[in-house]
Amino acid sequence: MAVAMTEFRDQDLRAALNRALRIVGISALIGTPVIWGAWGWPSAVFFLVGGAIAATGILEWRQIMSAVLARLGPVNASGDATGASSAAGTQPKPVGPVVFWFFLRLALAGALLYVSLKSLDGRISALIAGLALAMLALLIEAIRLLRTWSL
C-alpha cells in the first residue's frame, strides 16, 4: 500500500530521474544483444549510440534541475525565496557552467549521430529505438509517480 504524500520534493524528482537513468541502462544492456542478433552489429552500435544519448540527456536534465532549484531555493510561507545558500550567507553555484555543459553535450550528441550515420550501415530504427529509451523510461516514471501521488 502506498503512503499518502503531501508534497513533491526535489529529492523525489531526483530519485525519479535516477530510476529513469537506471531503466535506460538496463534496457540498453538487454536490447543490445537482441538487436545484434536480429539486425547485426552496426544496428546494435546504433542502438547503443541512441541509448548513450538518451542517458546523457537524463543526466543533463538532472543537472539543470539541480542548478535551477539551488538558485531558486525553498519558498517560505510568505512566498519569499529563502534559499539554503542565502541562509548560510553564501551564493549558490552559477548556472553558466551547467548551461555550457548542456550545449556541449548537444553538440557532441550531434557529432556522434553524424559520425555513426555516415560510417555505419545499420538500421535507423535501431538508433531511434535507442533514443526512445529516455522517453520510455520517463513515461514509466511518470506513471509510477501518478500512481503514487493519486492514492
Side-chain angles (χ1 to χ4, degrees):
M1 181 171 181
V3 177
M5 297 184 173
T6 58
E7 184 177 318
F8 188 73
R9 300 177 315 236
D10 303 341
Q11 295 85 3
D12 298 326
L13 181 58
R14 180 176 290 281
L17 290 174
N18 287 341
R19 286 191 305 266
L21 187 60
R22 191 176 322 124
I23 291 170
V24 168
I26 292 170
S27 300
L29 287 175
I30 292 171
T32 300
V34 171
I35 289 178
W36 189 324
W39 293 335
W41 69 268
S43 296
V45 172
F46 270 169
F47 183 72
L48 283 175
V49 166
I53 291 171
T56 58
I58 292 173
L59 284 172
E60 283 299 320
W61 283 110
R62 189 180 68 185
Q63 292 296 324
I64 290 172
M65 181 261 325
S66 296
V68 168
L69 290 177
R71 291 291 275 176
L72 294 176
V75 178
N76 61 19
S78 65
D80 299 329
T82 58
S85 57
S86 63
T90 62
Q91 292 294 326
K93 292 181 183 177
V95 180
V98 174
V99 173
F100 170 76
W101 286 110
F102 174 76
F103 285 114
L104 182 64
R105 185 201 70 84
L106 282 178
L108 290 175
L112 185 61
L113 284 172
Y114 178 79
V115 168
S116 56
L117 286 171
K118 282 295 197 182
S119 61
L120 294 173
D121 189 29
R123 293 189 181 214
I124 300 299
S125 54
L127 179 64
I128 293 169
L131 292 169
L133 289 178
M135 291 187 300
L136 175 67
L138 292 172
L139 177 66
I140 290 169
E141 284 304 312
I143 291 170
R144 180 182 291 160
L145 287 172
L146 281 173
R147 290 183 62 209
T148 302
W149 289 87
S150 64
L151 294 177

